[in-house]
Structure formats: C-alpha cells, structure tokens
Amino acid sequence: MKPFNLEAINRGTQNTLTSLLGIRVTRAESGLLEGEMPVDSRTHQNFGILHGGASVVLAETLGSIGANLLVDADHHAVGLEINANHVRSVESGKVLGVATALHVGKTTQLWEILIRSESGDLVCVSRLTIAVRPKSRSKSLSGSRILT
C-alpha cells in the first residue's frame, strides 16, 4: 500500500500538544504508524527520566492519527480508552513508537503501540481503543489538520 503524506500529517500537528512535545510521525501506512519523541526537559518527570504521561501522549497520538487515516470523510476517530505499561526508564535521546491496528471495525478500532528506546529496549506497551463516530454537521472536523 502507498504511504500517506508524512509532511501533511506532521504539518497538521502544529500548535498542539504533539508539536509541543516534539513528536514527529516518521512512517504512515494503512494500519501502521511510526513516530518519535525526544526525551528531554519537555518530556521528563522530576527524577530526570521520561514521564509516563509523555509516553501515553505519544501512544495516543500515533494510534489516533493512524485511526483517522482509516476512516472515511464522514467520520472521525477519537480515543475511548488507553492503557500503558511502563517497562523501562529512559533519561535522554528519543523514543520510537510503532502503532499497529489490531482491529478496524465500523464503530471501533483497537491499536497496540510499542515504544522503544533508540537502542531497541522496550519502554512502554500501550493499547488504545478508538471510537469511530459520524461527524456532526454543526461540529464538523472537516478541517481536520492531519488529513489536509
């Protein structure tokens, strides 16, 4: 399958929490999204290691963007539930996330997101449940930044 436009996806995250944390999508295909996030003062907790919440932001960002790339123009995908198991700490560098669709249905999607250190060590395992909803006419997301 032909990859999606990475430049458009990353441009669509400008002025959001995603850009504030330095998250960048590096690969996008149907049912697969990869990205990276720096481990620095923006993403540290007070002990100088990657904040678990930052890992969750990376996981939900990758899964949500991936899910929205799979729905038609009359629908949008939103996070319904996320869980994360933090396996290993990271002090610096960057972490790499791989989001894989496990289930793509008409009303729900299920994504697994694995986050690893630059050396390949598993840092976090996350699972994201997505709700697929019709866009309302009054609150349309037709200006969705990731798809334009």
Side-chain angles (χ1 to χ4, degrees):
M1 168 155 274
K2 182 176 156 185
F4 294 93
N5 184 331
L6 291 178
E7 183 180 318
I9 292 169
N10 286 309
R11 188 175 49 247
T13 67
Q14 291 175 355
N15 300 314
T16 67
L17 179 60
T18 300
S19 66
L20 181 67
L21 295 183
I23 296 171
R24 262 184 4 93
V25 175
T26 57
R27 180 178 173 197
E29 297 180 9
S30 183
L32 175 76
L33 210 75
E34 295 180 3
E36 60 187 28
M37 179 178 68
V39 180
D40 59 22
S41 62
R42 294 173 289 179
T43 57
H44 278 165
Q45 45 103 304
N46 58 327
F47 297 114
I49 60 175
L50 179 63
H51 193 292
S55 293
V56 173
V57 171
L58 175 59
E60 185 153 359
T61 297
L62 295 177
S64 293
I65 290 173
N68 274 287
L69 293 174
L70 297 179
V71 299
D72 63 40
D74 295 329
H75 292 82
H76 62 271
V78 295
L80 186 61
E81 189 273 338
I82 189 166
N83 70 40
N85 294 95
H86 307 290
V87 178
R88 181 172 282 107
S89 64
V90 178
E91 294 177 3
S92 62
K94 61 184 171 183
V95 289
L96 312 168
V98 177
T100 306
L102 302 177
H103 165 74
V104 178
K106 289 181 180 182
T107 59
T108 61
Q109 295 183 24
L110 180 62
W111 288 74
E112 176 185 66
I113 303 93
L114 301 178
I115 300 173
R116 297 184 182 277
S117 67
E118 290 179 283
S119 61
D121 294 325
L122 186 62
V123 173
C124 178
V125 177
S126 182
R127 189 171 55 206
L128 173 65
T129 304
I130 294 285
V132 177
R133 300 286 184 242
K135 291 180 183 176
S136 91
R137 286 189 163 80
S138 61
K139 297 179 182 178
S140 176
L141 295 179
S142 60
S144 177
R145 296 188 275 185
I146 66 166
L147 301 177
T148 57

